[in-house]
Amino acid sequence: MAENKDTLYATDPPLGDFVFDQQVVDVFPDMIKRSVPGYMTIIHMVGQLAERYAQSGTRCYDLGCSLGASTLAMRHRIQAADVELVAIDNSSDMINRCKIVLDADSAEVPVALRCEDLEQSDIENASVVVMNFTLQFIPVARREALIRRIYQGMVPGGVLILSEKLTFDNAHHDNLMTELHHYFKKTNGYSEMEIARKRNAIENVLIPESLESHKARLANAGFTGTELWFQCFNFSSLLAFKPSE
Ligand SMILES: Nc1ncnc2c1ncn2[C@@H]1O[C@H](C[S@+](CC[C@H]([NH3+])C(=O)[O-])CC(=O)[O-])[C@@H](O)[C@H]1O
Ligand SMILES: O=C(O)C(=O)Cc1ccccc1
């Protein structure tokens, strides 16, 4: 499928709050690659991690799957027998396009695609759960309940891969990371105007937290061995484990 360039914030009048609608779907692969440093590395490693941690007879979840990048990476690498992938997103525009992407792929692991609010979804018998830049869109006060439900739905020895945009408690470091991220976007062809408008559009929608807050929440829910395995500026990915019995 041809990849359309993201020019959503280049045109007047500027769009309102950011939503995952058809306009975003049409440019999403280009948008996320030019906006999230390390995105392709993280997707590649999600495949490797799923290969290692997927257990026979269990499910692997992609929560906030968008166009299914993590689902496809897992589907291409999982070797364990009798594994089902479950890809969930609450944007029907995303899910409709994701179905086309998955149908065009011939790998064998079955995928159940669900258009659901992941705060209401059943999560059961999961050996791998991926939340790749999705928790950041859930209201902060409801994040703990969701992380607990994920933990309850996992099998012993299961892994959660949690990728998030971060804030930093030190205001100087926080500004620096934001500047470095914006410079990354500039080098990827976004204008100062596009960067500023997108920043406004996501301000009330994408709420980043500190690494310490994420680690504390994961520990409260029962996860152990939480490690930061990837960071580029204010974009990160964590591994968290449900202990083996
Ligand atoms: N409550 C919710 N329930 C279900 N889905 C939701 C909810 N809230 C937001 N979403 C969905 O979470 C996704 C977040 S994008 C994930 C990228 C993908 N993981 C990727 O690896 O390419 C990240 C980004 O664009 O920064 C969108 O598709 C939303 O519709
Ligand atoms: O674009 C940004 O500035 C971001 O922080 C990342 C992002 C990527 C895709 C959708 C929303 C936010």
Side-chain angles (χ1 to χ4, degrees):
M1 214 172 290
E3 212 163 272
N4 299 321
K5 187 170 176 185
D6 168 24
T7 57
L8 291 184
Y9 293 92
T11 50
D12 283 316
L15 306 170
D17 272 358
F18 188 85
V19 283
F20 291 99
D21 59 8
Q22 191 60 48
Q23 271 190 307
V24 167
V25 167
D26 288 338
V27 300
F28 190 73
D30 177 72
M31 170 187 280
I32 197 146
K33 275 184 273 190
R34 288 202 290 137
S35 301
V36 175
Y39 174 76
M40 291 306 294
T41 300
I42 294 173
I43 294 294
H44 189 71
M45 296 310 156
V46 162
Q48 292 197 8
L49 290 162
E51 180 175 10
R52 182 180 177 110
Y53 288 103
Q55 299 178 33
S56 298
T58 66
R59 298 194 176 120
C60 298
Y61 285 82
D62 182 1
L63 304 180
C65 61
S66 297
L67 303 185
S70 295
T71 297
L72 279 182
M74 291 195 277
R75 197 185 198 190
H76 289 162
R77 293 203 77 104
I78 289 171
Q79 305 295 321
D82 192 23
V83 168
E84 183 187 38
L85 283 159
V86 183
I88 299 173
D89 205 288
N90 67 348
S91 158
S92 54
D93 292 326
M94 281 290 185
I95 289 286
N96 291 339
R97 178 67 60 83
C98 187
K99 181 168 178 1
I100 295 170
V101 172
L102 293 176
D103 286 348
D105 174 76
S106 58
E108 278 171 21
V109 182
V111 183
L113 192 56
R114 301 193 201 151
C115 187
E116 287 176 1
D117 182 345
L118 63 91
E119 290 187 90
Q120 312 296 330
S121 293
D122 287 335
I123 298 163
E124 287 166 354
N125 192 28
S127 56
V128 177
V129 177
V130 176
M131 280 191 107
N132 206 30
F133 302 108
T134 302
L135 187 66
Q136 60 193 17
F137 293 102
I138 304 291
V140 174
R142 301 211 298 263
R143 293 181 187 178
E144 171 144 359
L146 175 57
I147 293 293
R148 285 182 182 276
R149 263 192 338 101
I150 292 170
Y151 185 84
Q152 295 310 322
M154 286 172 59
V155 299
V159 68
L160 169 66
I161 305 166
L162 177 66
S163 309
E164 288 278 299
K165 189 174 186 176
L166 295 178
T167 56
F168 299 83
D169 291 338
N170 177 313
H172 174 72
H173 292 177
D174 198 59
N175 286 333
L176 174 62
M177 292 301 183
T178 302
E179 264 178 43
L180 291 169
H181 173 227
H182 289 172
Y183 188 65
F184 167 85
K185 292 184 76 164
K186 196 172 169 193
T187 62
N188 283 333
Y190 286 112
S191 68
E192 300 280 1
M193 167 83 89
E194 286 175 285
I195 293 168
R197 284 174 168 174
K198 175 82 177 278
R199 182 185 200 166
N200 285 337
I202 60 178
E203 197 180 10
N204 300 316
V205 177
L206 188 174
I207 313 294
E209 292 179 280
S210 67
L211 178 61
E212 294 72 25
S213 301
H214 284 295
K215 283 189 167 175
R217 184 184 293 120
L218 290 164
N220 282 341
F223 284 100
T224 56
T226 299
E227 284 291 354
L228 182 73
W229 70 269
F230 178 88
Q231 185 180 346
C232 183
F233 308 141
N234 46 352
F235 289 81
S236 71
S237 190
L238 289 161
L239 286 175
F241 296 91
K242 178 156 180 167
S244 307
E245 276 165 342

